[in-house]
Amino acid sequence: MDVHVDTQQPLLENAPLPQKTPKTPAQKTMRKAFKGTTHLAKLLPTGTVLIFQTLSPAITHRGQCHTLTSKAMTICLLTFCAFSCFILSFTDSFRDERGKVRYGVATMKGIWIMDGSVTLPVDEAAKYKLKFIDFFHAFASILVFVAVVLFDQSVVRCFVPGPSAETKELLVALPIGIGLVCSVLFVLFPSQRHGVGFPLSRN
């Protein structure tokens, strides 16, 4: 029995690939900005970033800010999120005897457990006490959050509705510079804490 193969229709692998449409410089800049935002967001508490990215378009009316109330609410949102990034940098977690994750706040003497149902031995709690690196990470987190804010077009248009060419270049270069410096510093001086909003370790 002969098998006939229809060779008139091209195979899928032989089909011509769709050509990429060239991107304008503005589109390339925006693409880099959004990619930079995703990388910077990894250094921040996920809950804080989610709150900011969810409420920012609604409070700023997508960058319009017609009233002083909108600007005041935007300032309050930015202040709250920055304060949250600072405070959450001092939180930490551990697993109890049953393997359940417990959260606490680092203090000068050790860790203060939030729910208070579990206590750690003094020598074990002392491992979580405050260090200078914690304050460094807290201030660096605020800087990273500022970079994420500068990437957000709704907030930028709210406070700078008609930026000049120099201002536009600054708004693109400044967050990239902050992100680059903070990323290097976080790599050189990594945080050992796994607090609220940060990924947990397996152990």
Side-chain angles (χ1 to χ4, degrees), residues 14-56:
N14 296 330
L17 297 174
Q19 296 181 350
K20 293 183 178 180
T21 56
K23 294 182 175 63
T24 63
Q27 290 174 333
K28 292 180 180 179
T29 303
M30 290 300 296
R31 184 171 180 273
K32 290 181 180 179
F34 285 122
K35 286 181 67 177
T37 304
T38 57
H39 292 307
L40 290 177
K42 296 177 183 177
L43 305 176
L44 298 174
T46 52
T48 302
V49 177
L50 181 61
I51 290 173
F52 169 72
Q53 293 180 341
T54 302
L55 297 180
S56 172

Side-chain angles (χ1 to χ4, degrees), residues 2-190:
D2 296 334
V3 178
H4 298 283
V5 178
D6 187 6
T7 58
Q8 293 181 355
Q9 294 183 351
L11 297 175
L12 185 60
E13 60 183 9
N14 296 330
L17 297 174
Q19 296 181 350
K20 293 183 178 180
T21 56
K23 294 182 175 63
T24 63
Q27 290 174 333
K28 292 180 180 179
T29 303
M30 290 300 296
R31 184 171 180 273
K32 290 181 180 179
F34 285 122
K35 286 181 67 177
T37 304
T38 57
H39 292 307
L40 290 177
K42 296 177 183 177
L43 305 176
L44 298 174
T46 52
T48 302
V49 177
L50 181 61
I51 290 173
F52 169 72
Q53 293 180 341
T54 302
L55 297 180
S56 172
I59 292 178
T60 62
H61 301 287
R62 298 192 178 276
Q64 299 301 318
C65 285
H66 298 293
T67 62
L68 291 176
T69 304
S70 297
K71 290 187 177 182
M73 291 177 64
T74 303
I75 293 174
C76 290
L77 174 65
L78 298 179
T79 304
F80 170 77
C81 291
F83 182 74
S84 175
C85 290
F86 183 83
I87 291 298
L88 291 179
S89 297
F90 298 102
T91 60
D92 207 339
S93 62
F94 65 94
R95 296 185 184 274
D96 60 12
E97 297 177 351
R98 296 181 297 172
K100 188 175 181 180
V101 178
R102 302 288 182 175
Y103 290 98
V105 179
T107 64
M108 298 300 294
K109 296 182 179 180
I111 185 171
W112 173 73
I113 303 171
M114 294 181 183
D115 57 8
S117 60
V118 179
T119 56
L120 284 177
V122 177
D123 55 344
E124 186 70 20
K127 298 178 181 178
Y128 298 92
K129 66 180 180 180
L130 278 176
K131 301 176 182 177
F132 174 78
I133 193 70
D134 296 322
F135 292 94
F136 164 76
H137 279 278
F139 286 107
S141 295
I142 294 178
L143 288 178
V144 173
F145 177 71
V146 170
V148 173
V149 169
L150 293 177
F151 275 135
D152 190 277
Q153 294 301 308
S154 297
V155 176
V156 171
R157 284 197 298 265
C158 179
F159 294 102
V160 190
S164 61
E166 292 80 6
T167 304
K168 289 181 179 178
E169 292 181 1
L170 181 63
L171 290 175
V172 172
L174 184 60
I176 292 176
I178 293 175
L180 180 62
V181 172
C182 289
S183 297
V184 171
L185 291 176
F186 272 108
V187 170
L188 294 177
F189 307 101

